[in-house]
Amino acid sequence: MLELGRLEDLPQDYRDALSAQNLVPLWPSLRAVLPPGQPRPNTRATAWSYQGLRPLLLQAGELTPIEKAERRVLVLANPGHGLEKMQASAAIYLGMQLLLPGEWAPSHRHTPNAVRMIVEGEGAYTTVDGEKCPMSRGDLILTPTGLWHEHGHDGSEPVVWLDVLDLPLVHYMEASYHIDGSRQTVQPGRGDRVHAHGGLLPTPMFEGARKAYPMLRYPWVEARAALLALAEDQPALDAVQLRYSNPATGGDALNILGFYALMLRPGQTLQLPARSPASVFHVIEGGLQAQIGDQAFALAEADTCCAPGYTPITLRNASPDAAAFVFIADESPLHRKLGVYETR
Ligand code: 1HN
């Protein structure tokens, strides 16, 4: 490959003259922004142990009252980006949020999209756009861009959930901001009940009545049952996986990140091809071994890991008798919309 000229090859007075007019020569930096063959991601395969972070999260509950935190979160930060950047990948933010009994995380809305995957505890709820969504382990709750949301807790034990946001991308786009609100009035109606059966959709009588995000909560009991049915129906199927979708459009649940529930049969090894989007794996039930490029991780229940794009991934459920259930988030809706999605 042709050696390109370096910055140091240029006379200092020429470089100064360029800088004075906010000009930069492309050729010394061309290979860095356009590397040969494939990208050089900053995103590093990284795992976060739930047993490791849980005591620190509970300690945050003692150290910092909710009023001083607004959202009490420990961010799962990828060291490849620098911890202070608070990103798991180029487009994905991950955080573990703690809400204690009786606490209230006040209403706000913002441009980044969020989802919550409930990890532990009962009795908490989040109210999104006036709809009160109970939180139970494994449930997925959407907070699409621009919708008011707040969290409350009527139970007696700490509740923890995993927040997944497209914040790094929206922030990079200089489009990230929030607006504080006041306590929402809960409206009657539950999208997850109306859309409990995928084949049955409400008939809109007029366009104005249609909500852009008609289903905000995806109960784990239903996702789990559907995975077991799929595994039973198709014994030869390798990827026993469901995609969280918008029931009205059949498209992805949110615009930027994609969400999936995967079941690994007892003893199963699943090989995923290298694909351009980065991805996140969170163990809902069971355990698994994840090989991400040349890195190996043993993931126990409630552990989370992230994988850069363009990297082959192998997931293995070593248990001879128990299925493993995994929540996956990835950047594929974004890559497809931008036309850069690829499988190697
Ligand atoms: C946010 O609004 C929540 O509403 C959680 O629970 C995490 C991280 C960055 C920006 C906004 C929440 C967040 C967040």
Side-chain angles (χ1 to χ4, degrees):
M1 193 170 34
L2 193 68
E3 266 306 297
L4 298 180
R6 298 168 306 165
L7 197 57
E8 308 83 80
D9 300 338
L10 298 169
Q12 189 60 51
D13 60 344
Y14 177 71
R15 289 161 65 182
D16 293 344
L18 290 177
S19 299
Q21 295 193 50
N22 298 320
L23 298 170
V24 173
L26 172 62
W27 57 97
S29 305
L30 183 58
R31 296 286 184 249
V33 293
L34 214 54
Q38 65 173 53
R40 309 277 181 269
N42 287 321
T43 302
R44 260 188 239 160
T46 306
W48 295 269
S49 149
Y50 190 62
Q51 284 314 313
L53 71 83
R54 187 177 184 276
L56 296 171
L57 188 55
L58 291 174
Q59 207 179 340
E62 293 162 15
L63 294 170
T64 306
I66 192 71
E67 296 76 20
K68 289 280 180 196
E70 206 165 288
R71 300 295 193 264
R72 194 190 290 108
V73 176
L74 293 181
V75 178
L76 279 47
N78 193 304
H81 288 273
L83 300 182
E84 71 289 350
K85 291 280 175 54
M86 299 198 300
Q87 55 193 102
S89 73
I92 305 176
Y93 158 103
L94 298 173
M96 283 286 180
Q97 183 163 170
L98 170 70
L99 198 65
L100 295 171
E103 285 186 336
W104 181 254
S107 188
H108 69 183
R109 61 192 182 99
H110 42 68
T111 44
N113 296 273
V115 302
R116 324 201 184 277
M117 163 54 50
I118 317 310
V119 177
E120 143 174 9
E122 289 289 332
Y125 56 90
T126 178
T127 303
V128 182
D129 194 26
E131 183 173 322
K132 187 171 174 176
C133 302
M135 294 170 142
S136 279
R137 179 178 160 68
D139 291 352
L140 184 74
I141 297 172
L142 308 185
T143 305
T145 178
L147 299 191
W148 294 110
H149 56 284
E150 63 203 81
H151 317 305
H153 190 347
D154 296 335
S156 55
E157 298 295 326
V159 165
V160 177
W161 63 81
L162 175 69
D163 290 313
V164 185
L165 282 82
D166 49 25
L167 176 65
L169 177 76
V170 179
H171 182 257
Y172 177 74
M173 290 163 61
E174 300 185 337
S176 180
Y177 70 95
H178 91 282
I179 296 172
D180 286 327
S182 48
R183 195 177 274 243
Q184 297 171 72
T185 307
V186 174
Q187 308 290 336
R190 283 268 298 273
D192 60 322
R193 290 211 189 119
V194 173
H195 294 90
H197 304 282
L200 293 172
L201 292 173
T203 309
M205 296 308 285
F206 55 96
E207 282 300 313
R210 202 188 298 227
K211 286 186 173 176
Y213 299 94
M215 187 162 168
L216 297 171
R217 174 174 181 260
Y218 298 75
W220 175 239
V221 281
E222 286 168 18
R224 191 181 191 280
L227 284 168
L228 288 169
L230 180 59
E232 196 178 314
D233 278 10
Q234 301 191 39
L237 181 66
D238 243 1
V240 181
Q241 183 173 293
L242 304 171
R243 180 172 58 89
Y244 290 94
S245 73
N246 180 322
T249 65
D252 294 303
L254 291 177
N255 279 329
I256 295 177
L257 302 181
F259 308 100
Y260 317 83
L262 171 73
M263 177 182 140
L264 293 168
R265 303 168 199 267
Q268 185 184 353
T269 299
L270 180 63
Q271 292 191 331
L272 307 173
R275 301 178 324 139
S276 54
S279 48
V280 166
F281 302 90
H282 171 81
V283 183
I284 299 178
E285 226 183 286
L288 70 140
Q289 291 157 7
Q291 180 79 36
I292 302 170
D294 56 11
Q295 299 248 79
F297 301 97
L299 301 175
E301 212 155 275
D303 288 354
T304 306
C305 77
C306 79
Y310 296 89
T311 309
I313 299 168
T314 303
L315 303 176
R316 192 166 112 79
N317 174 14
S319 168
D321 44 30
F325 295 91
V326 187
F327 169 63
I328 302 175
D330 76 9
E331 300 170 335
S332 59
L334 173 67
H335 279 227
R336 288 184 209 276
K337 286 188 174 96
L338 298 183
V340 298
Y341 181 91
E342 56 175 299
T343 302
R344 290 278 167 110

